[in-house]
Amino acid sequence: MSRLLGCTLVLFSLSVAWTVHEMSPPTYLHRDPETWDQLHCDQCPPGTYVQRHCTASRKTECAQCPDHYYSEHWHFSEECLYCGNVCKEMQYVKQECNSTHNQVCECMDGWYLDLEFCLLHTKCPTGFGVLLAGTPEHDTVCERCPQGFFSSEVSAKATCQRHTDCEKMGLTMYFKGNTTHDSICQQNVADPSVSKCETDITLCEEALFRFAVPTDLAPKWLNILMQSLPGMKMHEENIELINKRHNSHERIFHLLKLWKSQNKGQNVVRKIIKDIDMCEKEVFSLIGTMNLTLEHLVALKHALPGKKLRQGIVEKIPVTCPSAGKILKLLSLWRTKTGNPDTIKALQRLKFRKLPEELGQRLKKLVKFLNGAKMYRLYQKLFLEIIGNQMQSLKHSCL
């Protein structure tokens, strides 16, 4: 027991000695002006300066730094340092000057210090994501998106995102993602008549794209349009898939829809999406309040020109589609099944006398709207503004 107590006392003594040593101020050599003996004087702590050096009979005397002066470390100077740090352009005062610190400046959010100047954080291009986010002291570090990941925006903050797993969502992959855009999924549909109430191309998209690429000039315009559209270009393998799956007229709609999807984060495409959404709301307001029955749909099937849809397909539409979706689904199926490139022209050629009166009147208003000045102004506002005079000159050369 006494041996244990002795060890404890030794350890305690060592601990006290170490603490005293750590708390002791650092010293400096100073010669006593009276005796000329060289003394070890205590230094002054941060926030003070040496007012009087030590002698053989007294310790160092320290005084508080005056306003706008500071000392950051233990020292033996007879004066404090002046707070002379001035914040430059794109910097802000992170910490005001006080007795122990100079004024601290830092680059504003989104900027970093390079030598003496604040520079904007580097934005990673599409196909690259942020590996290390920029700080006030360091620039952004970008990395190329690895396989299975993408980044579709130019950003100093966005990281690479994993491609959507279509299979996990119970969908099939329509377009394989790459480093610059996500995978695009679609419903698992063996027979489009039993799919959910969805359309591959909406009437408003078709109307807008039809103004941009007249269907009678479709083959000539396809390459011209693809080269002229702004934003991210479509991946070649996705274009090849579209070319295999669709005829020349359908390719235009699907390529433009893919371009719209891939560039949805870009400002110019946000305008297109917003205006198409407004158009679709108006379409639904025209035909969405009707109490449609199977008889209405069958009558519309017979009134449409060209090849007719199978009766069985039409009968399944009311099961999956509510209100206006029934007509839109029927028109979409009719376009894809019959290979007709222009639903709007087909609606113009409807045999209205074979339709119930209310249905015929609503569809006439719909045709008028989709062919009207509002849609053409939408085309002018969007396509002519974003593609410019180059596209107009190409249009005249094609004609």
Side-chain angles (χ1 to χ4, degrees):
M1 186 73 178
S2 59
R3 184 178 178 184
L4 180 61
L5 180 60
C7 290
T8 304
L9 289 172
V10 169
L11 291 172
F12 177 74
S13 300
L14 289 172
S15 174
V16 170
W18 176 256
T19 305
V20 170
H21 174 74
E22 285 293 291
M23 293 180 65
S24 298
T27 61
Y28 65 99
L29 292 175
H30 180 71
R31 193 174 294 279
D32 190 321
E34 296 178 1
T35 65
W36 286 95
D37 293 336
Q38 197 168 40
L39 306 172
H40 286 272
C41 298
D42 291 343
Q43 294 185 23
C44 288
T48 65
Y49 66 96
V50 176
Q51 191 174 44
R52 294 174 70 183
H53 295 280
C54 74
T55 66
S57 60
R58 71 168 186 272
K59 291 184 176 182
T60 307
E61 293 183 10
C62 303
Q64 189 73 23
C65 290
D67 289 345
H68 307 298
Y69 286 83
Y70 74 98
S71 61
E72 193 168 353
H73 308 286
W74 286 85
H75 69 110
F76 51 91
S77 174
E78 296 177 3
E79 58 184 20
C80 296
L81 299 173
Y82 179 67
C83 292
N85 195 15
V86 178
C87 294
K88 301 180 178 65
E89 188 177 8
M90 302 311 299
Q91 288 185 328
Y92 70 98
V93 178
K94 184 180 181 182
Q95 180 179 300
E96 298 285 355
C97 170
N98 58 35
S99 63
T100 59
H101 289 90
N102 194 2
Q103 179 169 281
V104 178
C105 301
E106 187 169 272
C107 292
M108 294 182 178
D109 186 39
W111 300 72
Y112 73 100
L113 190 64
D114 184 20
L115 298 178
E116 295 183 4
F117 300 97
C118 289
L119 303 178
L120 265 175
H121 286 151
T122 297
K123 291 184 178 180
C124 301
T126 55
F128 290 77
V130 174
L131 177 63
L132 293 175
T135 68
E137 293 79 33
H138 301 288
D139 193 12
T140 313
V141 177
C142 303
E143 66 168 345
R144 181 182 289 277
C145 292
Q147 186 174 3
F149 290 78
F150 77 101
S151 176
S152 60
E153 57 183 311
V154 178
S155 171
K157 295 183 178 180
T159 57
C160 293
Q161 303 295 310
R162 188 181 293 277
H163 288 150
T164 299
D165 189 335
C166 299
E167 186 177 351
K168 187 178 287 186
M169 297 171 64
L171 306 172
T172 56
M173 186 181 294
Y174 188 51
F175 292 117
K176 183 180 179 181
N178 60 16
T179 57
T180 60
H181 69 83
D182 194 9
S183 298
I184 298 177
C185 308
Q186 68 174 4
Q187 295 290 329
N188 288 314
V189 180
D191 179 354
S193 66
V194 296
S195 68
K196 291 183 179 179
C197 193
E198 296 173 344
T199 58
D200 55 350
I201 302 292
T202 70
L203 279 178
C204 291
E205 287 174 332
E206 185 179 336
L208 179 60
F209 298 159
R210 180 171 57 91
F211 275 123
V213 186
T215 51
D216 54 341
L217 297 175
K220 295 181 183 178
W221 272 65
L222 191 55
N223 291 333
I224 296 172
L225 183 65
M226 291 304 99
Q227 294 167 9
S228 304
L229 286 170
M232 288 190 297
K233 304 303 177 186
M234 279 147 285
H235 202 257
E236 287 185 8
E237 64 185 60
N238 289 339
I239 295 177
E240 288 174 9
L241 278 173
I242 289 176
N243 287 336
K244 287 178 183 177
R245 293 176 178 176
H246 304 285
N247 62 39
S248 59
H249 294 295
E250 287 287 308
R251 286 172 199 156
I252 294 168
F253 295 141
H254 286 277
L255 281 168
L256 283 167
K257 183 148 187 167
L258 176 60
W259 167 79
K260 172 171 159 267
S261 173
Q262 287 185 188
N263 288 276
K264 59 186 176 185
Q266 307 290 331
N267 286 333
V268 66
V269 183
R270 283 199 202 104
K271 290 182 181 178
I272 293 178
I273 294 172
K274 181 180 177 181
D275 286 326
I276 287 178
D277 287 345
M278 290 177 65
C279 166
E280 288 170 3
K281 284 181 181 178
E282 189 146 355
V283 168
F284 271 73
S285 71
L286 287 170
I287 59 176
T289 56
M290 296 180 61
N291 184 23
L292 290 171
T293 64
L294 177 59
E295 287 69 32
H296 286 95
L297 296 178
V298 171
L300 179 56
K301 181 197 81 157
H302 289 303
L304 284 166
K307 296 178 182 178
K308 309 300 179 186
L309 286 171
R310 288 189 291 108
Q311 182 77 12
I313 291 177
V314 178
E315 288 175 353
K316 291 177 181 178
I317 292 175
V319 178
T320 55
C321 294
S323 60
K326 297 174 186 177
I327 291 180
L328 300 178
K329 183 65 175 179
L330 188 146
L331 292 174
S332 177
L333 289 171
W334 174 84
R335 179 176 57 77
T336 54
K337 285 287 187 183
T338 62
N340 193 302
D342 198 332
T343 313
I344 290 87
K345 280 187 179 178
L347 286 172
Q348 286 178 298
R349 293 164 52 200
L350 273 178
K351 299 172 183 176
F352 287 100
R353 55 186 171 77
K354 292 187 175 182
L355 295 174
E357 184 178 358
E358 184 187 7
L359 177 59
Q361 290 176 350
R362 296 288 187 99
L363 289 177
K364 282 180 182 178
K365 290 180 180 179
L366 179 62
V367 171
K368 186 177 180 180
F369 167 69
L370 293 173
N371 277 295
K374 184 181 287 188
M375 284 303 301
Y376 188 72
R377 283 197 300 272
L378 176 59
Y379 155 67
Q380 285 185 313
K381 172 186 170 185
L382 299 172
F383 276 87
L384 295 186
E385 283 183 9
I386 65 176
I387 298 174
N389 294 329
Q390 176 191 359
M391 197 66 180
Q392 279 294 83
S393 62
L394 289 170
K395 177 179 177 180
H396 292 308
S397 66
C398 285
L399 292 169

